[in-house]
Each structure stands twice: as structure tokens, then as C-alpha cells.
Amino acid sequence: MSDLLHHRGRSLSKGQPVSLPIMASTTFHLPGDPDGSHFYGRNGNPTVECVEAEIGLLEAAETVLFPSGMAAIAAVFHTLLRPGDKVLVHADGYYNVRSLLEEHFVPRGIEVETCPTAGMDQADMSGCRLVMIETPSNPGLDVCDIAAVADRAKSAGAFLVADNTTATPLCQQPLDFGADMVVMSDTKAMAGHSDVLCGHVSSRHTALINQVRTYRRLGGAIVSPFDAYLLHRGLETLELRVSRANQSALQVAKCLSGHPAVSAVRYPGLPQDASHDIALRQMRGFGPIVSFTLKDREAAENFISNNELIVPATSFGGVHTSAECRIRWGDQVADGFVRLACGIEPTEDLVISVENALRDLRPV
Ligand code: PLP
């Protein structure tokens, strides 16, 4: 994080602005022949490149920014997949990834198989060109052993792509465990204020990341310098926000577990969680999301609306704690399943607010 915070300052000369300027120009002064300097916004923009370099420091990898997490994921699929290829994708991670494959890649002759996150390290990957994991998975918070999955993918000759959105590179670095590419929705904790959509792809394979960059230039999914600036601003406080949200999530998970109104709690940081042992091996923090199950949908909606520190909203990684019933999006979860995403409110206040909202609920 220190490198990220001082990245820009180290190259400044006298009189240059300390804060990152937003370079809103689409064209750049270009007399004579192109010489590698900036010339057109789709090919490169100084504000965007500065933010790519910052995220590159966190990932220890070359990074390409996109205007959303899904744009980043789509770019990877477009770059790697050709008719006749096979993809193995998580069955329980972010649902739009599977929808994208089913609606746009299956009709183009790509075969798609799914596997639950917890079983990925045992999955049959034979014939796969690409394996995609999301760990911890959203919203169920299962975890897979990234190193074991990477070994298996490598033996099968497949590229391993890891969606690291729920963890962030501060808590987990899939590339260190053998993943070939990381994708993230930076809309969540990385930007962190629920006011900008963005995403990125990182890889330590130069040829792969160059292909992704070329795809972006040709496909045109370019993040605006204004949005890149907002992401930069969020990144500067990433560590403080992630650390508070993680701490709150653990305390909230503890408060929920064993409560008579709660039938199940998932949080990889809880010692009794099914994912805890693997999580300990590959994570430095366990993320802002706690998932739990109440008696039914009515109890879940009451819990959310009776909790004065919870915003009823989708998404996660913002400054305000939010929660929602995931059944409303068709996730394969119980009616009373709640995904709660901690914000940066003082932990004690949030725990009291959760305790109060639980008090009115009948036991399961
Ligand atoms: N990956 C995960 C794990 C997500 O939760 C999301 C969005 O919720 C995405 C990818 C897509 O990101 P975006 O909404 O920025 O396109």
C-alpha cells in the first residue's frame, strides 16, 4: 500500500500537481509520425495508466482497466475462447458470469460446464481451455484451494482465471498461487464508495495481458479518466476500509452464529466455518461479506428493514453496510438467505445494530 500511495509522488518534478490530474482529452498533440506517445484516448490515457500502475503494484502484475467488472470478464472470454473450446466455471459465483457464457459464448460453439466452488480442486478439467473460479464465492462464501486448482488446470492445459472481487488483492493474491489471470469488479471495495463502475484484469504473462489490452483497444471498452480518478481516490484508502470492514464482518458473523433466529452462517474467518482451513492458507483477511439464513423471506426482510445501519441495496465493498435477500436474483439459496456486506461504520455500532434487529425475530 505504501508503494501505491507514493507511486505518483516519486516521479513528480517541481510544480507538478500532487493529486492525480484528470486528463479529459481524447486527442493528444501529434505532429509528424506516431512515436509511442499518447495520441488517442482509446489507445491510452495518462490518468487511466496511472491507476493501472497503482493496481499493478497491488497485484504485482500488469493490469488493464475496464469500465466494469463484467467488461473485464468479457474481455478475458473474448481474448481466450474460440469455437470448440471448453470452459469450466463456478456454479455458485456471480450469476452474470454464467449468463454471459450461456447467452453469448455457447451459441458461438463454446462448451460450458459448471462446478461448485468447494469442489473445484477435484473437478474434471480435461479438454478445458479456461477454468474460472471465484473464491470466496459470492454469495455463498465457499472457498477453493487456489494452488490445488491451479495445478489441476495446468495439468489439463487450461488457463486459470480467478475472480478476486470478494477478497481484494490485500487479502488474497491468486496469481501467487498459480492463477494465470485475475479479474475483479473494482466497483466494489477497490473504488469503495458505490459511485463508480469499473474493473480490471491482471496477469504476469506478458503475452496474455497484451492480448487483453489489444482486445480492449479494438472492442472499445475504455474506462473514462473521470471514473479512473474516482477509482484512484478509493484505492488510496483501500487498506483502511478493508481492514475495518473485515473486522466488522468477523464480529457480525460471531454475533449471528449460535443465535436462535439464525439457522446457518457463512464467513471464512469463523474458525468453525467449512472454508476456514483453506482460507487461512491463502487469505490474509476474510472480506466484508457475511451470509446467513433466517427462518424465511419475511424474517430476512424484517431483519434488513429493522436494522438502522443497513442500507437495503445490492452490491458490496462500499462505505455503508448493505444487505439483501439473494433469492430475489434467483441465486440457489434459501428464502431466508441474507447477504450482508459490512461498510466502514464503527464495528461496535454495527454489532449493536445487528443484535437489535435479531432481537425481534422468532427462533428458527
Ligand atoms: N464478480 C463478482 C464477484 C461480482 O460480485 C460482480 C458484481 O456484483 C461482478 C464480478 C461484476 O462486476 P460489475 O458489476 O462491476 O460489472
Side-chain angles (χ1 to χ4, degrees):
M1 263 316 283
S2 303
D3 279 347
L4 186 157
L5 282 168
H6 289 276
H7 169 70
R8 179 175 158 73
R10 284 183 185 138
S11 60
L12 289 182
S13 49
K14 202 167 177 176
Q16 287 190 306
V18 170
S19 293
L20 178 65
I22 301 169
M23 299 276 197
S25 194
T26 55
T27 55
F28 297 81
H29 195 56
L30 185 69
D33 286 329
D35 61 356
S37 54
H38 293 107
F39 63 98
Y40 187 60
R42 188 157 36 73
N43 296 63
N45 172 284
T47 308
V48 173
E49 284 162 10
C50 183
V51 184
E52 289 176 332
E54 289 173 344
I55 296 176
L57 290 168
L58 297 181
E59 299 279 17
E62 282 225 44
T63 295
V64 180
L65 263 188
F66 284 89
S68 69
M70 284 309 300
I73 291 166
V76 168
F77 291 163
H78 279 291
T79 301
L80 290 181
L81 297 176
R82 298 289 174 268
D85 286 344
K86 185 160 93 175
V87 179
L88 179 67
V89 64
H90 49 73
D92 47 354
Y94 186 53
Y95 66 100
N96 276 324
V97 174
R98 291 184 299 281
S99 301
L100 172 66
L101 285 167
E102 276 150 24
E103 287 182 32
H104 288 275
F105 288 86
V106 170
R108 290 175 172 80
I110 283 131
E111 193 184 336
V112 176
E113 285 182 3
T114 61
C115 174
T117 298
M120 273 288 184
D121 58 357
Q122 303 293 320
D124 177 9
M125 298 178 185
S126 50
C128 284
R129 163 91 169 150
L130 191 161
V131 173
M132 177 152 185
I133 55 171
E134 184 185 301
T135 178
S137 59
N138 164 33
L141 301 182
D142 263 325
V143 167
C144 61
D145 181 332
I146 302 171
V149 179
D151 279 351
R152 219 174 164 79
K154 192 169 275 175
S155 311
F159 290 111
L160 177 62
V161 178
D163 185 326
N164 204 31
T165 303
T166 54
T168 81
L170 294 189
C171 299
Q172 172 175 277
Q173 299 205 274
L175 299 178
D176 285 354
F177 295 100
D180 297 294
M181 284 188 182
V182 158
V183 291
M184 274 192 77
S185 168
D186 296 330
T187 311
K188 311 292 190 294
M190 299 285 270
H193 293 72
S194 314
D195 54 7
V196 60
L197 285 160
C198 44
H200 75 262
V201 180
S202 295
S203 178
R204 295 174 188 163
H205 299 295
T206 307
L208 273 186
I209 200 73
N210 283 344
Q211 283 176 52
V212 171
R213 196 178 285 110
T214 301
Y215 173 78
R216 181 183 65 173
R217 174 172 59 80
L218 299 174
I222 307 294
V223 69
S224 93
F226 295 95
D227 288 353
Y229 173 80
L230 285 175
L231 172 56
H232 155 82
R233 192 162 167 147
L235 287 172
E236 295 202 307
T237 56
L238 179 67
E239 188 184 16
L240 295 171
R241 290 182 290 100
V242 163
S243 138
R244 167 64 65 80
N246 287 0
Q247 171 188 308
S248 293
L250 180 59
Q251 294 312 318
V252 166
K254 284 182 178 166
C255 158
L256 290 164
S257 25
H259 192 283
V262 182
S263 61
V265 181
R266 292 304 307 268
Y267 186 65
L270 280 178
Q272 67 270 31
D273 191 272
S275 297
H276 188 61
D277 290 345
I278 311 170
L280 270 184
R281 271 186 265 144
Q282 61 194 25
M283 300 185 80
R284 291 186 289 264
F286 304 106
I289 305 174
V290 182
S291 294
F292 57 98
T293 310
L294 301 175
K295 190 176 172 56
D296 49 24
R297 177 85 191 256
E298 190 188 349
E301 295 292 359
N302 283 341
F303 170 86
I304 294 168
S305 57
N306 292 342
N307 193 319
E308 55 188 23
L309 291 189
I310 287 183
V311 179
T314 194
S315 200
F316 54 91
V319 293
H320 309 112
T321 295
S322 62
E324 64 174 336
C325 293
R326 287 300 297 189
I327 195 87
R328 67 184 181 173
W329 303 119
D331 284 349
Q332 301 296 305
V333 293
D335 288 352
F337 179 98
V338 177
R339 185 185 73 186
L340 185 152
C342 293
I344 60 166
E345 300 89 349
T347 301
E348 234 179 72
D349 293 358
L350 188 58
V351 169
I352 290 171
S353 174
V354 167
E355 281 169 353
N356 288 344
L358 285 174
R359 194 167 298 138
D360 302 330
L361 298 179
R362 276 179 286 130
V364 273

